[in-house]
Amino acid sequence: MKFTELGLVPEIIRSIADQGYETPTPIQAQAIPIVLSGRDLMACAQTGTGKTAGFTLPILNRLAATRVTGPRKIRVLILTPTRELAAQVEESVRTYGAHLPFKSLVIFGGVGMNPQISALKHGVDILVATPGRLLDHAQQRNVDLSGVEVLVLDEADRMLDMGFIHDIKRVIALVPKKRQNLLFSATFSDEIRTLASTFLTHPEYVESERRNTAPELVKQYVYKVDRERKRDLLVELIRDNGWYQVLVFTRTKWGANGLADKLLKAGIEADAIHGNKSQNARTRALANFKSGKLHVLVATDIAARGLDIDELPYVVNFELPNIAEDYVHRIGRTGRAGSAGAAVSLVCIDEHKLLHDIERLLKKQIEVVAYPGYEPDPGIRAEPILMRSAGTRGGQRAPGGRPGGGGSRGNSPKAPGGHRSGPAKPGGGSHRSGTRHH
Ligand code: AMP
């Protein structure tokens, strides 16, 4: 199939050609005709599938086909869970609408209201927003949603995870009843089904290739290591392997900051990106990472979600995610578009149950690599996983009161050994596997 076969207006075909895209991705080929037909859509698609163009292109086409006269009113409203995703979606709208006269705007929290108010006053056709800030504007009557024809919920599952369900309902109450609804979600949980049943009318359903099996090209490794030694091991891995563009996931904002500081002290250019950082700081960190100025970006799942960083060579799970599906999202950042990537997980005794859940989802075991000098100490017991700050709050208890056996824990020096036989290099082929039990 070609883009020219989809019935899009010439201005949009031109902007697609500007981008160098030749063929629609599977999700685009399925979703575009449905959106063009005016029907509601439920799409199961993750970042990286081309989903943004999948809804942006036909929406722009719809606006172009039915131009209205009079003052501009917001005709399309796109809600996203995070600021970064909102900014990226709006950039896509601008890119694909470059040859059309429509105005788009992005609004999100963490930055001043006033520039957004004046931009809204100037007239907007397509508004991309995070729910909280949109409602702030609605409350102050800065925004008129009475002309909305298309409402998009992007990454709806993440919006639910982040507790936005009430905000979404309040936004729905502000837009006209008669409208087209598009719902994009990476997963199709019961909660999403419930939302879909109230939000969509006779929807069409499309699904992109599921990524529940990890991308084939991504090599996955587990380093078993004690919780207190993860930081040192990460520094060594980065240094010894010469890793240059590494996205590192931590479970908490606090953990992200601490780790970025530790890496900086070790002379590795690193920064953290999470919800407590100002928008400017987040944008700067992301730009520096993309340009190669920063070698390591430490992120929480929520901050990283939807970031359009393609073809990363390395993703490190400094801590495993609590939700197994998040592991697949995380490592989906590497090895995109045919380039190989490596996903490395540092796993301590507390996380064996999480690792087991991930392997059950993947339906395979992840290769365990020993890093000489960092073998886990068999005397260390599992502890509950802390979800918050350095305190003792948080809930999830790792399984088992005794250390789970690990194939490489027979000789476990406490300090980084002076007798390493050389670093194990993911992708380099010199790793030693161990067996393990959960
Ligand atoms: P998304 O899943 O929307 O985040 O898109 C992932 C990436 O794919 C973006 O960087 C897009 O620029 C790119 N992309 C979208 N559609 C196509 C296409 N038809 N051909 C090639 N690349 C595309």
Side-chain angles (χ1 to χ4, degrees):
M1 158 151 323
K2 290 204 173 103
F3 274 111
T4 43
E5 294 167 48
L6 288 166
L8 297 164
V9 298
E11 291 92 332
I12 294 179
I13 296 290
R14 236 175 95 197
S15 60
I16 293 170
D18 293 346
Q19 293 307 300
Y21 304 162
E22 285 167 8
T23 47
T25 65
I27 196 77
Q28 291 165 0
Q30 294 177 77
I32 290 172
I34 296 168
V35 182
L36 287 177
S37 77
R39 301 196 56 177
D40 279 11
L41 174 71
M42 156 92 217
C44 221
Q46 295 169 358
T47 299
T49 55
K51 68 180 170 69
T52 316
F55 63 81
T56 309
L57 296 171
I59 285 176
L60 284 164
N61 204 85
R62 180 188 164 128
L63 296 194
T66 55
R67 292 189 199 191
V68 291
T69 47
R72 277 178 206 274
K73 263 189 147 182
I74 296 164
R75 296 178 65 192
V76 179
L77 175 61
I78 302 168
L79 293 182
T80 76
T82 62
R83 308 158 189 187
E84 281 81 8
L85 185 62
Q88 279 170 24
V89 168
E90 199 259 342
E91 201 180 315
S92 294
V93 171
R94 266 187 283 133
T95 302
Y96 303 132
H99 306 296
L100 289 166
F102 306 118
K103 276 200 168 176
S104 58
L105 176 67
V106 59
I107 58 176
F108 45 68
V111 293
M113 297 274 281
N114 286 337
Q116 297 177 353
I117 294 171
S118 74
L120 284 165
K121 276 198 186 126
H122 278 91
V124 172
D125 299 288
I126 302 170
L127 181 64
V128 187
T130 52
R133 178 53 67 94
L134 177 66
L135 286 168
D136 290 344
H137 281 295
Q139 232 157 24
Q140 296 183 15
R141 301 197 183 283
N142 302 330
V143 62
D144 172 12
L145 299 175
S146 67
V148 169
E149 298 165 30
V150 187
L151 177 57
V152 183
L153 303 186
D154 193 14
E155 301 206 348
D157 51 344
R158 195 47 57 143
M159 286 203 267
L160 297 187
D161 288 351
M162 290 168 74
F164 285 151
I165 184 67
H166 296 294
D167 286 352
I168 292 171
K169 287 185 174 159
R170 285 168 63 202
V171 173
I172 292 174
L174 296 173
V175 296
K177 281 211 167 59
K178 192 170 166 313
R179 55 172 200 268
Q180 184 177 19
N181 298 297
L182 314 178
L183 192 155
F184 284 78
S185 175
T187 55
F188 200 27
S189 61
D190 287 347
E191 269 181 306
I192 285 290
R193 281 173 215 268
T194 308
L195 175 67
S197 67
T198 53
F199 176 63
L200 304 170
T201 314
H202 305 306
E204 293 272 354
Y205 176 76
V206 302
E207 187 173 7
S208 72
E209 254 168 63
R210 292 307 314 260
R211 276 253 188 102
N212 259 5
T213 50
E216 285 293 301
L217 284 164
V218 179
K219 298 197 182 88
Q220 301 172 64
Y221 304 95
V222 160
Y223 285 91
K224 288 285 182 75
V225 57
D226 292 334
R227 86 180 73 76
E228 304 300 336
R229 303 193 58 207
K230 282 188 176 186
R231 292 179 174 198
D232 289 334
L233 175 56
L234 181 62
V235 169
E236 291 220 18
L237 284 169
I238 292 171
R239 276 201 192 134
D240 287 352
N241 293 307
W243 288 350
Y244 54 90
Q245 204 182 25
V246 198
L247 182 61
V248 179
F249 285 93
T250 60
R251 218 176 274 129
T252 64
K253 299 169 191 175
W254 169 83
N257 280 339
L259 184 57
D261 285 348
K262 162 86 185 181
L263 293 171
L264 273 174
K265 281 192 190 115
I268 297 167
E269 286 300 321
D271 204 348
I273 181 168
H274 55 66
N276 285 5
K277 291 249 169 170
S278 75
Q279 186 55 36
N280 281 346
R282 292 160 76 172
T283 308
R284 196 172 47 238
L286 183 60
N288 286 340
F289 184 59
K290 280 187 170 181
S291 73
K293 224 187 263 173
L294 271 185
H295 288 181
V296 181
L297 189 63
V298 188
T300 55
D301 285 289
I302 286 176
R305 174 84 176 194
L307 290 184
D308 184 15
I309 318 173
D310 285 342
E311 297 169 33
L312 275 177
Y314 311 104
V315 165
V316 173
N317 296 302
F318 185 77
E319 288 145 339
L320 289 179
N322 286 330
I323 302 165
E325 282 83 5
D326 282 348
Y327 176 85
V328 181
H329 290 311
R330 288 179 177 188
I331 72 166
R333 303 266 169 202
T334 69
R336 281 200 193 157
S339 68
V344 171
S345 300
L346 308 189
V347 178
C348 71
I349 181 81
D350 314 338
E351 298 171 300
H352 284 192
K353 160 97 171 54
L354 301 179
L355 180 60
H356 180 62
D357 291 347
I358 289 165
E359 291 182 327
R360 215 171 41 196
L361 178 74
L362 298 175
K363 298 195 182 68
K364 70 167 201 175
Q365 291 223 323
I366 305 172
E367 188 178 347
V368 177
V369 185
Y371 198 95
Y374 281 87
E375 295 86 351
D377 176 349
I380 292 179
R381 309 269 142 173
E383 282 181 13
I385 288 171
L386 302 179
M387 284 307 297
R388 286 169 182 255
S389 66
T392 52
R393 289 162 298 172
Q396 192 160 341
R397 183 171 282 280
R402 61 175 195 80
S408 59
R409 66 187 173 81
N411 50 351
S412 312
K414 276 197 166 172
H419 306 294
R420 277 199 282 108
S421 55
K425 284 191 189 192
S430 66
H431 25 268
R432 287 191 270 130
S433 299
T435 50
R436 45 190 161 77
H437 320 280
H438 296 296

